[in-house]
Amino acid sequence: MQYPLQLSYKLQTFGQRIVATDASDNVVMFIKQKMFKLKEKVEIYNDTKQSQLIFRIEADRMIDFSANYSFTDASGNEWGSVRRKGMRSFWAAHYEVMQDGQVDM
């Protein structure tokens, strides 16, 4: 992988589609999020053909300003989580890093 990374967005799809490429124009990852889901779920693949899932990011509850987002690998092993900071995130996104269900200081 060669830096810098470039992100390109597909605008005419039902959900977000982001392709990350490196300086040599090699695809580093493909990020997919479906629209109209009550609980947010983002899937990250190694290429645009979605041949291998790398990570998943999932919200723990439906539409909520204080949701926790868990990061898991393709095997379901948890890597960690972050929590959106309530109404403060309404104007700008603020997150707390979580470890074992507690805010990591």
Side-chain angles (χ1 to χ4, degrees), residues 21-39:
T21 54
D22 66 6
S24 299
D25 209 30
N26 297 317
V27 174
V28 177
M29 68 181 87
F30 175 74
I31 304 159
K32 176 175 89 169
Q33 179 181 17
K34 293 182 181 177
M35 286 179 66
F36 308 118
K37 291 286 188 181
L38 293 177
K39 287 173 70 174

Side-chain angles (χ1 to χ4, degrees), residues 6 22-23 30-31 38 54 56 58 65 93 96-97 100 103:
Q6 181 174 332
D22 66 6
F30 175 74
I31 304 159
L38 293 177
I54 302 173
R56 225 181 242 120
E58 293 185 68
F65 290 114
E96 298 173 321
V97 176
D100 300 323
V103 176

Side-chain angles (χ1 to χ4, degrees), residues 22-69:
D22 66 6
S24 299
D25 209 30
N26 297 317
V27 174
V28 177
M29 68 181 87
F30 175 74
I31 304 159
K32 176 175 89 169
Q33 179 181 17
K34 293 182 181 177
M35 286 179 66
F36 308 118
K37 291 286 188 181
L38 293 177
K39 287 173 70 174
E40 291 185 66
K41 181 178 178 182
V42 178
E43 295 175 329
I44 301 147
Y45 295 91
N46 67 331
D47 59 14
T48 56
K49 296 176 184 172
Q50 303 173 40
S51 57
Q52 182 182 1
L53 180 68
I54 302 173
F55 287 105
R56 225 181 242 120
I57 304 169
E58 293 185 68
D60 67 341
R61 58 190 88 169
M62 293 185 282
I63 308 169
D64 189 357
F65 290 114
S66 299
N68 291 332
Y69 296 89

Side-chain angles (χ1 to χ4, degrees), residues 62-97:
M62 293 185 282
I63 308 169
D64 189 357
F65 290 114
S66 299
N68 291 332
Y69 296 89
S70 298
F71 295 78
T72 56
D73 62 16
S75 301
N77 301 316
E78 189 168 325
W79 279 52
S81 61
V82 295
R83 177 173 58 195
R84 184 178 268 168
K85 288 183 75 171
M87 289 300 290
R88 188 173 182 192
S89 291
F90 188 71
W91 303 110
H94 295 276
Y95 294 90
E96 298 173 321
V97 176

